[in-house]
């Protein structure tokens, strides 16, 4: 009987380890996929809006917004955020902070 319990415990441990590893892989894949999508979207913004007057005019406001951790919101930044989201619909889910940081990289 003791041998059966030991074997059952070993089997349970093996299953638990396998499930844990699988969930780690799934979580990692989801995180990497999300970061890749964000990176691609940021690249799209960088290339699409590099010469855009509305976005370039918002650089100072974007710098203030990022430096104040979102406390200072300038009119030019608001216009640029709205403009970016209208031009690239897949960025509507991006946070204002992400877009402001992207504006600073242009």
């Amino acid at each position: 009987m003791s041998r059966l319990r030991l074997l059952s415990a070993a089997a349970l441990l093996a299953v638990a380890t396998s499930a844990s590893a699988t969930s780690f892989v799934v979580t990692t894949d989801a995180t990497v996929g999300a970061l890749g999508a964000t990176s691609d979207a940021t690249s799209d913004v960088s290339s699409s809006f590099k010469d855009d007057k509305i976005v370039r005019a918002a650089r100072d406001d974007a710098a203030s917004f990022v430096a104040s951790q979102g406390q200072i919101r300038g009119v030019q930044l608001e216009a640029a955020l709205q403009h970016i989201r209208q031009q690239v619909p897949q960025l509507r889910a991006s946070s204002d902070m992400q877009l402001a940081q992207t504006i600073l990289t242009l």
Side-chain angles (χ1 to χ4, degrees), residues 1-2 24 30 33 37 50 56 60 76 89 99 103:
M1 190 83 173
S2 154
F24 175 74
K50 196 170 206 160
R56 292 190 58 81
D60 288 341
Q76 290 177 324
L99 293 178
I103 291 170

Side-chain angles (χ1 to χ4, degrees), residues 10-11 22 27 34 38 40 45-46 61 65 72 81 83 86 90 103:
T22 301
T27 303
T38 302
D40 292 345
V45 171
S46 297
D61 282 358
F65 181 79
I72 300 173
L81 295 175
H83 177 69
Q86 285 175 348
Q90 61 265 31
I103 291 170

Side-chain angles (χ1 to χ4, degrees), residues 8-77:
S8 297
L12 185 59
L13 181 62
V15 169
T17 303
S18 174
S20 207
T22 301
S23 109
F24 175 74
V25 168
V26 169
T27 303
T28 303
D29 288 348
T31 302
V32 169
L35 288 175
T38 302
S39 175
D40 292 345
T42 301
S43 296
D44 289 346
V45 171
S46 297
S47 61
S48 299
F49 295 107
K50 196 170 206 160
D51 296 324
D52 191 295
K53 291 179 183 181
I54 295 171
V55 175
R56 292 190 58 81
R59 283 183 54 84
D60 288 341
D61 282 358
S64 297
F65 181 79
V66 171
S68 70
Q69 297 179 344
Q71 296 299 309
I72 300 173
R73 300 180 72 92
V75 175
Q76 290 177 324
L77 176 62

